[in-house]
Amino acid sequence: MPNQVLTIEPQNELKFKVDFSGLFEQGCTTYMRLINPSSDAVLFKIKTTAPKKYCVRPNSGLLTPNSKIEIAITPQPVYVDQNEKHKHKFMVQSVSVPEGKLSNIDQMWKEISPDQLMDYKLKCVFETPRGTNLNDSGDNAAQNEVNKKRVAVADEAKPTLKEDVEGLIQNEAKRRKDDEQTGPLSAKTTTLPTSENVENDLQKASLEVIHLREEESKLRQENLQLKEELLRLHQTAGGDARVVRGHSYGPEKQAQAPSLPWMATTIVMALIGILIGKFFM
């Protein structure tokens, strides 16, 4: 197979923008430039592994010597499946044709043997609005955002836990001081707790507070996960609603039109009933 005679820009990959859910951003067209530096005319054809998800204009043509052309690649408003994101590729096929042999281009493609074709492949890279490469990341950006919130919640809980433990210690010290001051004036005989018992109680209270804070952190994480799932459902429902709205206006109007004669008939029958009733009364 001969080497590619065309100069192709970009050389290795084509970048496309998608949102966090994997939907192609509308209106974002990627351009490929083909340059013919040779002295012969070159026939070219653009192929892709996902033809239903991209619109390529032009997808074939003829490059005269020392000329260039820009290929516009516009993704369709569809989702990029996580399982096939590495399978999206483009291939540029070309063949040199002397000027004296130029005739019917379609017929020439049929007569060209595979050994004469020059192939060049480019892979597709999908980027989110924040610059995250969807091809390399195992999780999407929304999941990373949830993880950041979880870390923030855990960091926020640490100083609060420390303050709760210090508050328990201060309250216990204040209670002991009050008991010592009011003990001689009280008629009842009270037994002051020993220092070991107080320390054990404080340790139990500290462990209980730590346990409660861990439970609170888990609940916050579950709340964040539920919010994230709800956001995804809203985005999915919003996309479906847009599709439904675009095709639902006509049938609704047609369904409402036949109901008008029935409403008029019902009103007339009601008026006749009222008049007959008054006549007999």
Side-chain angles (χ1 to χ4, degrees):
M1 181 181 295
N3 295 328
Q4 179 62 258
V5 68
L6 296 177
T7 301
I8 301 174
E9 298 176 356
Q11 296 182 356
N12 300 317
E13 59 187 24
L14 297 171
K15 296 182 179 181
F16 299 92
K17 293 183 178 181
V18 297
D19 59 17
F20 291 131
S21 62
L23 177 66
F24 280 116
E25 289 191 3
Q26 297 183 5
C28 294
T29 301
T30 299
Y31 292 92
M32 178 196 305
R33 177 175 295 181
L34 304 181
I35 303 173
N36 180 15
S38 66
S39 57
D40 294 331
V42 176
L43 291 176
F44 71 89
K45 183 179 293 185
I46 311 296
K47 293 185 176 181
T48 177
T49 57
K52 294 183 179 181
K53 296 187 177 182
Y54 301 93
C55 178
V56 183
R57 291 291 181 272
N59 58 3
S60 62
L62 174 68
L63 274 173
T64 58
N66 299 315
S67 63
K68 59 184 178 181
I69 189 173
E70 281 194 348
I71 310 297
I73 304 174
T74 304
Q76 301 298 316
V78 294
Y79 287 92
V80 180
D81 190 352
Q82 293 290 330
N83 297 325
E84 66 175 13
K85 60 187 179 182
H86 295 287
K87 298 180 182 180
H88 288 209
K89 296 179 181 179
F90 281 81
M91 181 173 65
V92 180
Q93 288 186 331
S94 61
V95 60
S96 297
V97 181
E99 292 185 2
K101 295 184 179 181
L102 288 176
S103 57
N104 190 337
I105 295 179
D106 294 335
Q107 185 63 29
M108 292 180 65
W109 277 112
K110 295 179 181 179
E111 296 176 355
I112 294 173
S113 64
D115 297 336
Q116 295 177 306
L117 292 175
M118 296 175 284
D119 296 340
Y120 191 87
K121 297 180 180 180
L122 297 92
K123 67 178 183 178
C124 298
V125 176
F126 309 104
E127 293 182 343
T128 61
R130 296 187 179 182
T132 305
N133 190 337
L134 192 62
N135 296 60
D136 298 333
S137 59
D139 299 328
N140 56 27
Q143 185 63 34
N144 294 334
E145 191 70 19
V146 172
N147 293 334
K148 291 180 181 179
K149 291 181 180 179
R150 290 177 180 175
V151 174
V153 170
D155 293 339
E156 180 182 356
K158 290 179 180 179
T160 306
L161 176 61
K162 183 178 179 182
E163 292 175 359
D164 292 340
V165 174
E166 291 178 353
L168 288 174
I169 295 174
Q170 292 177 1
N171 291 336
E172 184 63 24
K174 184 178 180 182
R175 185 183 64 80
R176 290 180 58 189
K177 185 177 180 181
D178 294 339
D179 291 342
E180 291 176 356
Q181 292 178 355
T182 59
L185 300 177
S186 176
K188 297 180 181 180
T189 303
T190 58
T191 303
L192 295 176
T194 62
S195 60
E196 294 180 357
N197 293 333
V198 172
E199 291 179 358
N200 291 334
D201 292 340
L202 289 176
Q203 290 180 357
K204 291 180 181 179
S206 300
L207 293 175
E208 185 177 355
V209 171
I210 292 173
H211 179 71
L212 291 175
R213 298 310 299 176
E214 290 178 352
E215 291 295 330
E216 181 185 1
S217 179
K218 290 180 181 179
L219 290 175
R220 290 188 180 182
Q221 292 177 5
E222 292 177 358
N223 188 23
L224 289 175
Q225 290 178 352
L226 290 174
K227 288 183 178 179
E228 182 61 27
E229 292 297 330
L230 182 60
L231 178 60
R232 290 181 181 177
L233 290 175
H234 279 311
Q235 291 178 349
T236 304
D240 295 340
R242 288 193 298 269
V243 175
V244 173
R245 289 195 207 102
H247 301 278
S248 63
Y249 293 133
E252 288 180 0
K253 291 182 178 179
Q254 294 176 359
Q256 291 175 0
S259 65
L260 294 177
W262 288 102
M263 292 176 63
T265 304
T266 303
I267 294 172
V268 171
M269 294 295 293
L271 292 175
I272 293 173
I274 294 171
L275 292 175
I276 294 173
K278 288 185 177 181
F279 177 78
F280 283 105
M281 289 176 64

